[in-house]
Structure formats: structure tokens, C-alpha cells
Amino acid sequence: MKHVSLILLMILFISCKSEAQQEEASKKFEVQKTASEWEAELTDEEYKVLREAGTEPPFSSPLNKVKEPGTFVCAACGNPLYKTKYKFDSGTGWPSFDRAIENSVVYSSDMKLGYERSELLCADCGSHLGHVFNDGPEETTGMRHCINGVALDFTPKEKS
Ligand SMILES: [Zn+2]
């Protein structure tokens, strides 16, 4: 009996600790909104991906096809994240980039599929964007930012 309560106590301690750490992690973002505020602003699909780290079905985003010059911004807060010139055709069905605009994304890690993946979050609002892999184009950075199109809005570059 003593063992059981000790284990329970340990579990409690561990879960409290990670909750506190999560809270600390979310505090560093400039844009702070409650879940219900985000829910009111975003569509169901956007909310699921951006705020609950969901993944859109492959080949579902119209942004897969975008080739014209411009900027991809965070669909939650408008932070400029990627440029068309960083985009490449990865064949995965998700918009893919070899790099982000400097300091626009932050890296976190998740174990959702049973192994560690590096998650990409918007540096301004902490919303989930996608994941980064190291099988990108070798001739540039070697990195592949695999991004949910629903997490992005595209702003075409103004023609001068
Ligand atoms: Zn954002």
C-alpha cells in the first residue's frame, strides 16, 4: 500500500511539473489569447491545426500550388513566416519550405507518433504550424519545413 501511494505521489509530482513547464513555455509569446478567443477568431480547421496541433489532409491546401512571389503569414496572428522563394515541391502534399524568415518560428518537440519530431511554432503567438525534417533540398539548407497550408495566409508581392 505504501508503494502505491508513493507511486501516485510521484505521478502527481511529474504531471504538475510538466504542466508548469508548459505554462512557462506558452508565456513567452507576445500574442496571448484564451482558447475561446482563438476559437471565435479562427475557423474550425484553423483552430484544430493552429491551437490543437492537428494535421490537415495531404494535398488539401490550395497553397501547395502557389508559385508567385509573396509572403506566407501566420493565419492566427499575421506574423510573416515564409517567402515563396523558400518554397519547394516536396511531393508530400503539404506546403514545404527550406527555411523560415529569420526569427519568425520557434522549435519545440513532440512525441505524438512515438518518436521525437521537431515541431514548428509561430514565434509571435505560439500557434502550431507543422514539423521540420532534415531531408530537404541538399543544394540549399537540407531542411524541410512541412507546414499545414491552413496555418498560413498568402500575401502576393505587390508588383512595382
Ligand atoms: Zn502567429
Side-chain angles (χ1 to χ4, degrees):
M1 200 54 201
K2 214 176 176 185
H3 274 301
V4 175
S5 49
L6 190 68
I7 289 167
L8 279 177
L9 205 71
M10 278 171 67
I11 292 170
L12 208 69
F13 177 72
I14 292 165
S15 54
C16 285
K17 196 178 169 198
S18 67
E19 228 167 78
Q21 281 170 341
Q22 272 175 9
E23 207 173 292
E24 202 174 294
S26 69
K27 263 186 199 147
K28 68 181 177 219
F29 297 110
E30 222 171 273
V31 180
Q32 292 287 337
K33 284 178 187 168
T34 64
S36 48
E37 284 173 326
W38 283 123
E39 233 174 335
E41 277 181 30
L42 303 171
T43 66
D44 287 355
E45 285 75 23
E46 286 171 345
Y47 186 84
K48 235 168 126 182
V49 169
L50 289 157
R51 304 308 307 174
E52 296 184 325
T55 300
E56 71 188 10
F59 302 101
S60 64
S61 172
L63 297 185
N64 273 314
K65 295 197 180 82
V66 169
K67 287 197 166 75
E68 62 178 308
T71 306
F72 296 85
V73 305
C74 172
C77 76
N79 181 23
L81 303 172
Y82 296 98
K83 290 189 179 295
T84 305
K85 60 185 174 192
Y86 304 153
K87 197 169 185 279
F88 67 97
D89 187 6
S90 64
T92 58
W94 289 283
S96 303
F97 304 87
D98 66 8
R99 78 202 79 172
I101 294 170
E102 228 177 303
N103 301 322
S104 69
V105 302
V106 291
Y107 301 87
S108 172
S109 60
D110 79 42
M111 293 284 286
K112 281 211 179 91
L113 296 181
Y115 57 90
E116 194 170 23
R117 289 186 301 176
S118 205
E119 188 189 357
L120 291 163
L121 307 176
C122 169
D124 278 2
C125 72
S127 291
H128 171 86
L129 305 167
H131 290 90
V132 60
F133 302 90
N134 58 8
D135 58 4
E138 275 171 28
E139 63 276 16
T140 57
T141 62
M143 304 307 281
R144 171 168 62 95
H145 289 219
C146 183
I147 306 298
N148 290 284
V150 76
L152 302 172
D153 284 329
F154 179 64
T155 315
K157 192 178 173 186
E158 276 174 53
K159 288 180 184 97
S160 50

